[in-house]
Amino acid sequence: MHKIKPYLIILLLNTLVIKSNTDTIKFTNHTFMKNVHLNAAHYLFSGTTTINKNVKVSIDSSNLSFSPNAIMTVKGNLQIRKSYFHAFDAMWDGIYLYNGSKLVIDQCTIEDAKRAVVDTLGANDIDINSTWFNKNYESIVLKATNTTSNLTLKNNLFSCDVLPVAYTTAIPVFWGTMSPTTIGALPATFMLPPYISRKSYSGITLFQTKTPSNPSQYVQIVKYNLFDKLKHGIVATRSKFVVQNNTFQNITAGKGLFAAIYIYGRTGFLPYLPEAKIGGTPSQGNTFNNCTYGVFSQYGSILSVLNNTLTTISRDGIFITKNRYDVVIDKNKLFQC
């Protein structure tokens, strides 16, 4: 850890509190080996930042900048509240979770990451609430073959927009103060290098997420999330998941395939069958508005699409190809499709 300007270090209840008196505090290839509270300051992270096992790092009301390809690896406990994460002139890498780690993100804005949050091994406690993910290539990536992660995603926004200043400062305003219509009217933009001139690829990416020991367990994306101006809202490859009570809007054609929910099922041998549940009861339906495709599914998956509302879909509201497994499509409302 290096100081650019004077900073305060206070030991309080076995937790180190680091707070800037004036300006930026810099961490380069830093490992946190004891509990730390980063509070109400501007921090710059470069290289690899590691949070060791059994260590808790809390970040509150702060502005965090990342150098190109900077990465945070979490083996312990990372809790972030009311803070702004962003890069300067090129994308940073993201936050990577190891087995048994805990991540809490509450009312933050996170921009410019290649993969903002990555759960590769699938045995973590993840709670992400009321956070705006913007201009990330992929915002949340779950790719555990045997996931046992405890995952909560609620009231999050995934976009590729030009954000108002109030949402890109320390203590960002909660995005829910704006309506989906107001968010949809924000100017679209592109990511930083190396993805210049491209929209964000996805809000949530699932790759072979399943639980063989509990076949009834699915990744739950069910808590009023909003996806706006992306290439895909959700991309799911050979996964088991549920999508309910979410809004997908302005996911429209550019080069290649644009779909609010893109499902890629089983093509060869796989010891389990992927499954997607889109909507459910009348109170669990999703809303799709101004999208090229609503749900695009190809190859083998069990699929149900129930009680969703699709409006102004330029190609197909629900498109299914090369699938010989059970498909149920019922009670969806389609307007101008």
Side-chain angles (χ1 to χ4, degrees), residues 81-311:
R81 293 180 173 87
K82 295 184 178 180
S83 296
Y84 175 43
F85 283 47
H86 64 101
F88 281 116
D89 54 359
M91 307 282 278
W92 64 290
D93 200 317
I95 300 169
Y96 285 71
L97 306 178
Y98 282 70
N99 267 14
S101 60
K102 180 175 182 178
L103 174 67
V104 175
I105 303 177
D106 183 30
Q107 196 174 320
C108 296
T109 299
I110 300 180
E111 293 191 309
D112 309 322
K114 294 178 180 178
R115 293 174 165 183
V117 175
V118 183
D119 179 7
T120 301
L121 300 176
N124 303 297
D125 190 347
I126 305 170
D127 186 347
I128 303 175
N129 178 55
S130 304
T131 291
W132 195 332
F133 291 89
N134 188 56
K135 295 190 300 173
N136 305 300
Y137 182 77
E138 295 172 298
S139 289
I140 297 174
V141 179
L142 308 176
K143 52 182 302 186
T145 300
N146 299 298
T147 180
T148 56
S149 293
N150 179 20
L151 176 68
T152 301
L153 300 175
K154 183 178 180 180
N155 291 329
N156 299 298
L157 171 56
F158 304 88
S159 69
C160 199
D161 295 337
V162 177
L163 303 193
V165 173
Y167 301 87
T168 58
T169 59
I171 317 182
V173 175
F174 172 42
W175 69 267
T177 57
M178 291 193 291
S179 69
T181 301
T182 302
I183 293 167
L186 294 175
T189 190
F190 299 111
M191 294 178 287
L192 293 178
Y195 301 116
I196 193 167
S197 301
R198 295 170 65 179
K199 289 185 177 182
S200 297
Y201 176 72
S202 70
I204 299 173
T205 299
L206 309 177
F207 183 79
Q208 295 188 179
T209 53
K210 66 184 183 67
T211 308
S213 60
N214 183 4
S216 65
Q217 182 175 339
Y218 301 78
V219 173
Q220 304 282 325
I221 306 171
V222 298
K223 298 288 186 179
Y224 311 107
N225 301 288
L226 174 61
F227 302 81
D228 181 66
K229 303 188 192 76
L230 311 168
K231 180 167 182 163
H232 306 291
I234 298 170
V235 176
T237 301
R238 298 189 290 276
S239 294
K240 297 169 73 75
F241 67 106
V242 179
V243 181
Q244 296 170 342
N245 298 123
N246 299 284
T247 298
F248 302 83
Q249 62 183 30
N250 305 314
I251 299 175
T252 54
K255 292 182 178 180
L257 171 65
F258 278 58
I261 301 176
Y262 175 43
I263 303 166
Y264 191 96
R266 183 166 71 179
T267 54
F269 173 77
L270 203 64
Y272 65 96
L273 187 59
E275 184 171 357
K277 299 180 179 181
I278 313 301
T281 68
S283 65
Q284 295 173 330
N286 302 283
T287 299
F288 301 80
N289 183 41
N290 189 32
C291 300
T292 304
Y293 290 94
V295 177
F296 186 104
S297 176
Q298 62 179 347
Y299 303 112
S301 292
I302 299 173
L303 176 65
S304 65
V305 185
L306 304 172
N307 286 298
N308 301 284
T309 300
L310 301 95
T311 305

